[in-house]
Amino acid sequence: MSGQNNDRTYLAHDHSESMLYSYAVAEIIIHSDSTYTWKTWELKNKKDWEKYNLFKPKISTGKVTQKAEFYTLTEYRNGNETDFNFTVKISDRRLTFYYPNKRNKLRKTYTYKRIKKINE
């Protein structure tokens, strides 16, 4: 008998603004216990992106809280809350980041697409 995994994984990849790396891949895993894991890979070039999971990622973790239709991703380091809070909308197919503009209205900035992991 096996348990069902309700974790959802979202993926994004694009060119990087970094001086050392030209491409970046990011995965956000929303866990069923209202936490998240955010993994980022910086790659030398775009052709490596499909093999991103062979490289070592940078990992951030935090908590997910809901306020109306939006969620907040709050990052924690060493058990302490950081100043990194992200406003997102989470659907079955996408995770979309929002950022307040100068009039304090939320504007869509970046979208991750949901992927199926082998263990899901």
Side-chain angles (χ1 to χ4, degrees):
M1 199 170 179
S2 65
Q4 188 174 8
N5 183 356
N6 291 326
D7 295 350
R8 294 182 284 176
T9 303
Y10 299 88
L11 177 76
H13 56 94
D14 204 350
H15 291 283
S16 173
E17 301 290 328
S18 170
M19 298 289 283
L20 299 174
Y21 300 98
S22 69
Y23 210 73
V25 178
E27 260 186 20
I28 298 177
I29 304 164
I30 304 295
H31 303 286
S32 58
D33 64 353
S34 296
T35 62
Y36 72 89
T37 303
W38 194 342
K39 299 178 183 180
T40 56
W41 292 263
E42 293 179 327
L43 306 171
K44 295 273 185 203
N45 53 52
K46 183 178 178 177
K47 70 179 181 174
D48 290 335
W49 96 262
E50 291 180 348
K51 304 179 282 192
Y52 70 91
N53 54 359
L54 300 176
F55 300 95
K56 185 175 180 175
K58 292 181 186 175
I59 300 175
S60 301
T61 59
K63 293 187 180 180
V64 180
T65 54
Q66 185 175 12
K67 186 174 183 184
E69 65 183 298
F70 292 97
Y71 291 83
T72 300
L73 304 181
T74 304
E75 186 176 322
Y76 284 79
R77 286 193 193 136
N78 301 323
N80 298 313
E81 185 176 331
T82 68
D83 290 336
F84 296 106
N85 292 299
F86 305 95
T87 301
V88 298
K89 271 190 183 176
I90 301 172
S91 72
D92 197 41
R93 292 181 171 200
R94 290 180 175 70
L95 184 144
T96 305
F97 280 79
Y98 289 83
Y99 189 77
N101 65 11
K102 49 185 157 178
R103 293 184 181 158
N104 220 17
K105 288 193 173 207
L106 291 177
R107 298 290 180 215
K108 187 184 327 184
T109 59
Y110 206 77
T111 299
Y112 286 60
K113 293 182 181 176
R114 185 165 179 198
I115 61 169
K116 295 286 184 188
K117 298 292 276 189
I118 293 171
N119 57 357
E120 282 188 27

